[in-house]
């Protein structure tokens, strides 16, 4: 048994010279110790980009029916030069359908910025605006106050002015003595009824405004979870969905790629199932993720671990787990962990094949396949910005079918962090729960994003499939 984590069919092992030397006595090393050790690692020359790796494009247009979707990528693409270097100089464990190739670029969250343009009213309304701060939403109904009771407002203002005048008169009387008494009396007499009337109106108005604010607050509360726009919940946490499937018209995205009949989507859509993977299995996989990610972790809120390439978030960059930890990672993962991964992957693949009416054997696991761990820590680099709307086929190229296996529970382990399909008119959300599998065709018919995580930690694993055998990869295995 190879003590290192390998991908089936590969024989290469990390160069000993490139490994951190002394400080790695245990895989339990975390954070600062790991960072310090890695600083001691000499930089490696960057070989050319692997064949087949798509260079990030700054602007991509996708046609969805009559609508034009413009996707803008952040400057620098998905990875900085430094990050690319780390990964390119990795151990080269990836295997595509039996042929060796170098490690792919890591998967991290697509830092794509979604933006939609369209002709007139038929344009797809992608709601990417920033949510108002929570308190501002509560206050918003108060702006309706003048419209609700303008009369009472002016009466209240008049009453206020009269009261001020009366108080001024009292002060003047104190200053000037009894001569002013008569005038003050009349001022008070004039102010009295007005003040009372205005006060009552003001109180009534205040109460109604408070009611409106409360109702608005309630609305804001319910829509806060959606963060933006109208949302329909496709899968609620707590329910057990057997086989939920919603068909959506395919985009033309697949036309730009070689078609593989019997696999390339002709029928598009999205599905959710809570019975493919058990909660116990999800919890076991989550423990694998926790162990792997405990070796590193992003300074920002989003960390990934790609079992296939070995890409692991560390600070503001990525390192290759296999390269930098070498033999030291033995003990982190067991044979059973990988058998479980394979089993889970197979069952998800079969589920997808069944839902889309294709043969499971025509689909191939593709890269990247990765664990994600998200918390509410502020993003430090664009790689931490997981919440941007994106299309997997644009982001990852080879994807035809995307699946997500959730490993923790929305509203119990974390707040925010729901998955959102960004549809015209009404977004559709999926509330993660441990063991829930969500899958969908990867084209722009399934534009999506993840809500920001407000508290707690969210774990998931992305497992995706391609129809092109050349883009297929083997399951990661412990050899
Ligand atoms: O974690 C999720 O729910 C979605 C992640 C995602 O969109 C992706 O990996 O492309
Ligand atoms: Fe995605």
């Amino acid at each position: 048994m190879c003590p290192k984590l390998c991908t089936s069919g590969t024989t290469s092992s990390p160069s000993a010279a490139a490994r951190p030397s002394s400080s790695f006595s245990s895989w339990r090393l975390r954070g600062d110790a790991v960072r310090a050790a890695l600083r001691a690692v000499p930089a490696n020359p960057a070989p050319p980009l692997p064949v087949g790796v798509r260079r990030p494009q700054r602007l991509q247009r996708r046609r969805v029916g009559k609508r034009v979707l413009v996707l803008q990528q952040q400057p620098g693409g998905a990875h900085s030069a430094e990050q690319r270097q780390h990964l390119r100089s990795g151990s080269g464990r990836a295997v595509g359908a039996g042929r060796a190739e170098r490690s792919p670029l890591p998967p991290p969250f697509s830092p794509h910025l979604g933006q939609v343009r369209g002709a007139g009213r038929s344009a797809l309304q992608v709601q990417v605006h920033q949510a108002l701060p929570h308190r501002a939403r509560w206050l918003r109904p108060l702006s309706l106050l003048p419209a609700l009771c303008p009369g009472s407002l002016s009466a209240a203002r008049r009453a206020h002015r009269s009261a001020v005048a009366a108080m001024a008169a009292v002060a003047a009387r104190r200053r000037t003595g009894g001569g002013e008494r008569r005038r003050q009396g009349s001022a008070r007499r004039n102010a009295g009824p007005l003040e009372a009337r205005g006060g009552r109106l003001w109180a009534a108005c205040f109460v109604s405004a408070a009611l409106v604010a409360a109702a608005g607050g309630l609305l804001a509360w319910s829509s806060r979870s959606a963060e933006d726009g109208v949302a329909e919940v496709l899968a609620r946490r707590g329910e057990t969905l057997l086989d939920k499937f919603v068909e959506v018209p395919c985009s033309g995205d697949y036309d730009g790629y070689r078609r593989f009949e019997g696999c390339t989507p002709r029928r598009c859509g999205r599905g959710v199932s809570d019975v493919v993977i058990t909660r116990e299995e999800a919890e076991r996989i989550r423990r694998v993720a926790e162990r792997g990610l405990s070796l590193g972790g992003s300074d920002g809120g989003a960390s990934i671990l790609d079992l296939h390439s070995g890409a692991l978030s560390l600070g503001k960059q990525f390192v290759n787990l296999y390269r930098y930890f070498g033999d030291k990672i033995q003990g982190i993962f067991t044979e059973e962990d990988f058998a479980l991964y394979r089993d889970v992957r197979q069952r998800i693949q079969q589920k997808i094949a069944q839902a889309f009416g294709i043969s499971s054997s025509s689909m191939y696991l593709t890269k990247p396949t990765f664990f994600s761990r998200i918390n509410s820590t502020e993003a430090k680099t664009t790689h931490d910005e997981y919440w941007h709307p994106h299309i997997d086929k644009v982001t990852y190229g080879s994807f035809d079918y995307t699946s997500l296996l959730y490993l923790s529970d929305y509203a119990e382990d974390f707040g925010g962090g729901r998955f959102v399909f960004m549809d015209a008119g009404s977004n559709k959300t999926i509330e993660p729960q441990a063991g829930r599998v969500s899958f969908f065709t990867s084209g722009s018919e399934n534009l999506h994003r993840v809500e920001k995580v407000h508290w707690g930690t969210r774990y998931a694993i992305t497992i995706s499939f391609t129809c092109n055998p050349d883009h297929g990869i083997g399951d990661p295995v412990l050899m």
Side-chain angles (χ1 to χ4, degrees):
M1 185 178 91
C2 163
K4 296 171 279 297
L5 189 62
C6 308
T7 299
S8 54
T10 47
T11 51
S12 60
S13 67
S15 138
R19 284 183 218 143
S21 49
S22 53
S23 350
F24 288 80
S25 56
S26 157
W27 62 266
R28 286 171 201 280
L29 275 175
R30 284 171 190 240
D32 291 346
V34 173
R35 272 182 267 276
L38 288 171
R39 270 198 293 276
V41 177
N44 296 290
L49 270 177
V51 175
V53 170
R54 291 154 59 85
R55 287 198 183 270
Q57 289 164 270
R58 285 194 175 252
L59 202 66
Q60 297 202 20
R61 285 166 201 275
R62 285 280 175 282
R63 186 165 281 282
V64 188
K66 285 186 183 145
R67 302 171 303 214
V68 178
L69 186 67
V70 180
L71 289 163
Q72 212 172 6
Q73 194 162 42
Q74 289 199 340
H79 312 284
S80 68
E82 194 184 7
Q83 285 154 357
R84 279 195 289 269
Q85 179 175 322
H86 269 296
L87 288 142
R88 283 191 308 239
S89 54
S91 59
R93 290 168 186 278
V95 168
R99 85 200 145 73
E101 55 181 81
R102 291 195 65 82
S103 290
L105 288 179
F109 294 102
S110 53
H112 285 72
L113 297 173
Q115 185 190 346
V116 170
R117 278 206 226 131
R121 286 162 190 268
S122 68
L124 176 64
Q125 296 300 314
V126 177
Q127 294 142 344
V128 291
H129 62 258
Q130 282 291 319
L132 276 175
H134 200 203
R135 254 179 304 168
R137 288 179 175 221
W138 277 88
L139 293 173
R140 204 189 287 169
L142 290 175
S143 63
L144 296 173
L145 193 62
L148 282 173
C149 33
S152 66
L153 256 189
S154 52
R157 262 189 233 117
R158 276 200 308 276
H160 176 74
R161 272 198 298 270
S162 307
V164 169
M167 280 190 297
V170 171
R173 192 183 67 178
R174 275 201 195 119
R175 274 199 311 271
T176 59
E180 289 287 329
R181 205 163 290 186
R182 206 161 37 86
R183 264 184 288 151
Q184 288 155 13
S186 88
R188 224 179 294 152
R189 268 195 306 280
N190 290 343
L194 251 185
E195 186 180 349
R197 211 176 336 131
R200 275 195 301 275
L201 273 168
W202 173 247
C205 229
F206 187 79
V207 169
S208 25
L211 285 173
V212 171
L218 216 65
L219 268 177
W221 170 262
S222 61
S223 65
R224 173 178 159 75
S225 41
E227 277 194 1
D228 47 5
V230 189
E232 211 178 278
V233 181
L234 204 63
R236 206 173 285 284
R237 186 188 69 89
E239 62 186 351
T240 304
L241 297 169
L242 225 60
D243 264 326
K244 184 148 189 165
F245 186 81
V246 179
E247 191 163 343
V248 293
C250 288
S251 62
D253 290 2
Y254 308 97
D255 300 341
Y257 294 80
R258 200 172 141 201
R259 283 199 85 86
F260 294 87
E261 280 319 322
C263 179
T264 302
R266 291 233 176 254
R267 180 179 183 231
C268 293
R270 45 192 78 153
V272 184
S273 177
D274 294 322
V275 294
V276 177
I277 309 299
T278 66
R279 171 169 284 273
E280 290 64 39
E281 288 167 332
E283 280 164 1
R284 277 176 60 201
I285 297 189
R286 174 179 164 158
R287 285 195 286 276
V288 176
E290 284 170 345
R291 272 180 273 146
L293 284 159
S294 71
L295 293 170
S298 165
D299 284 350
S303 305
I304 62 107
L305 166 61
D306 182 342
L307 287 180
H308 181 74
S309 69
L312 170 72
S313 306
L314 187 74
K316 293 188 174 53
Q317 59 189 23
F318 303 94
V319 293
N320 189 307
L321 184 74
Y322 312 127
R323 179 178 181 76
Y324 288 111
F325 292 87
D327 293 344
K328 306 296 184 294
I329 62 164
Q330 62 177 297
I332 303 174
F333 305 113
T334 66
E335 193 79 72
E336 290 72 44
D337 295 335
F338 284 82
L340 177 63
Y341 175 91
R342 275 195 303 279
D343 186 26
V344 160
R345 191 270 301 156
Q346 258 160 20
R347 277 187 271 154
I348 293 177
Q349 184 167 346
Q350 276 156 11
K351 174 89 248 167
I352 295 175
Q354 179 221 322
F356 290 96
I358 59 175
S359 157
S360 160
S361 60
S362 66
M363 308 160 62
Y364 307 88
L365 178 68
T366 192
K367 63 198 179 191
T369 172
F370 58 96
F371 292 110
S372 60
R373 182 183 70 190
I374 310 178
N375 61 33
S376 57
T377 308
E378 192 194 331
K380 299 295 186 306
T381 69
T382 53
H383 312 294
D384 299 319
E385 296 182 12
Y386 56 84
W387 55 84
H388 295 300
H390 64 278
I391 295 162
D392 287 350
K393 187 118 196 92
V394 175
T395 304
Y396 304 115
S398 63
F399 284 25
D400 288 308
Y401 298 94
T402 304
S403 81
L404 298 153
L405 167 60
Y406 293 109
L407 307 175
S408 51
D409 293 321
Y410 167 72
E412 195 143 302
D413 296 317
F414 60 89
R418 301 191 308 174
F419 179 97
V420 184
F421 285 114
M422 307 184 71
D423 291 346
S426 166
N427 293 338
K428 311 285 184 306
T429 59
I430 292 177
E431 300 178 352
Q433 73 181 16
R436 172 163 284 170
V437 176
S438 148
F439 55 92
F440 49 91
T441 43
S442 312
S444 50
E445 66 278 2
N446 282 317
L447 175 71
H448 61 272
R449 72 184 195 96
V450 176
E451 289 174 339
K452 283 188 181 177
V453 169
H454 300 302
W455 57 267
T457 309
R458 176 195 200 263
Y459 283 91
I461 181 164
T462 299
I463 301 176
S464 299
F465 301 93
T466 181
C467 296
N468 186 342
D470 291 343
H471 295 150
I473 60 171
D475 287 311
V477 292
L478 192 61
M479 296 195 298

